[in-house]
Amino acid sequence: MNQISHIRPVDRDYRAGLNRPLEAEAARDYEFLGEKLARRDIDIEQVTAQVARFSVAVPSWGTGTGGTRFARFPGDGEPASVFDRIEDCAVINSLTGATPTISPHFPWDEVPDYAALRAHAEALGVGFDAVNSNTFQDHPAHAAHPLSYKFGSLSHTDPAVRAQAIAHNIDCIRAGEALGSKALTIWIGDGSNFPGQSHFGQAFERYIASVQQVAASLPPDWTLFLEHKIHEPAFYSTVIQDWGSSLLAAQAVGPQARCLVDLGHHAPNVNIEMIVARLIHAGKLAGFHFNDSKYGDDDLDAGAIDPFRLFLVFHELVDAERAGRLDVAPAYMIDQSHNVTDPIESLISSAIEIQRAYAQALLVDRMALSEYQEGNDAMMANQVLKRAFTTDVAPILATARFRKGAAIEPLAAYRASGYRQACAGRRPKRAGGGGGIV
Ligand code: RM4
Ligand code: MN
Ligand code: MN
């Protein structure tokens, strides 16, 4: 099963060889930053240790080239199976040292033998994070999905469609158990395109009743992540439109249900870091789907558009953690569609940007911030955040990677490996043309 032992990015010696000429410079940069941080009473080693412990899951579906509803332009050597997708994820993890888990999506990643899939992943040094159900597409070739989700799934007016969607979510839990996962993420495409098409209240009640049935099948140590999205594929209303609907649903479903924040699923200009603070207050923050966005959904790479917002999200998280207000550790996952880049490169870069935002948030002088807040000194309070955000933490990230045996310069190491070209030689070319999520 393990076909990529000859592929160099996952070979520790390959990375060590590339790191060698970069080591001395990386060490000097790290030392210099350490001196500067020491002047701010920050122990660089503590920050580096925290950054080294930080990880973010990669989406199996993000390894294929995505598309819009207008077109998909396929890349070379795209993964053709879940086994290929896991290989790609393992490459990302071996170069960044920051993505040891994969979030699978069913039935896209469905296999007859999950133990074999788990063994394949483990042999490549990766495991599994939250599993995702898919009731936003029809699966006509699939015996378990004869009914259409065109007009909804868990909130459908027809109880037979709801039952099919519930059964699929329970199947996802079973697959996740076999893979070693501990959470199910539910995102539905249910909603409406016309005022009057759907009864807002009744659709929401049907959704809650369905999710309650899914929750009844959860193992006790599992969590249900409820993901909201303001629009798409429904463009007038969605059943779980915003964090308010998500919170109400999670509260109605019970203690195992929490709210997942996908950074791309809000109206433009919404204050997402504020939502994070409120969900923490409610004890209902599940975690994140990281990506960036400008106008619409989540199709841009994390940190590519607004790294400051990413930093502000982590600032809330670090603040809550330091104050002991995070009852459970949030799940960190990437959820992006890569339309014009090599998906492996985008996922590498995104993992680094997310880690960077976390490292910057660790540098916030929280005592000073609190004093400025108490004294209503708006200017200086903002300066405290800006000082952390504008600190170049790259030497911390590089050192954390180097000490783990990952690559000091992951993107350069990936390109030098020729991994994509090797994949192009052995993986079938996939069709372009129409739209596609992944
Ligand atoms: C949705 C949502 C879900 C993801 C699908 C592919 O917009 O973000 O999390 O599973 O896309
Ligand atoms: Mn998402
Ligand atoms: Mn999305």
Side-chain angles (χ1 to χ4, degrees), residues 135-136 149-150 152-153 187-192 232-234 237-239:
T135 60
F136 48 85
Y149 296 124
K150 178 174 176 182
S153 59
W187 173 72
I188 52 165
D190 299 29
S192 68
E232 201 200 13
S237 72
T238 64
V239 175

Side-chain angles (χ1 to χ4, degrees), residues 186-264:
I186 301 182
W187 173 72
I188 52 165
D190 299 29
S192 68
N193 285 298
F194 292 89
Q197 178 188 338
S198 168
H199 188 290
F200 294 153
Q202 288 168 8
F204 190 53
E205 280 159 20
R206 290 192 295 264
Y207 169 85
I208 289 172
S210 296
V211 175
Q212 279 167 338
Q213 287 196 53
V214 175
S217 291
L218 279 179
D221 59 342
W222 271 54
T223 309
L224 199 52
F225 297 169
L226 305 183
E227 180 177 1
H228 64 272
K229 182 175 180 180
I230 190 168
H231 76 120
E232 201 200 13
F235 286 103
Y236 167 61
S237 72
T238 64
V239 175
I240 305 299
Q241 171 123 2
D242 51 23
W243 72 276
S245 303
S246 181
L247 179 60
L248 288 174
Q251 284 169 337
V253 171
Q256 280 177 278
R258 286 172 174 260
C259 306
L260 180 109
V261 179
D262 183 315
L263 267 64

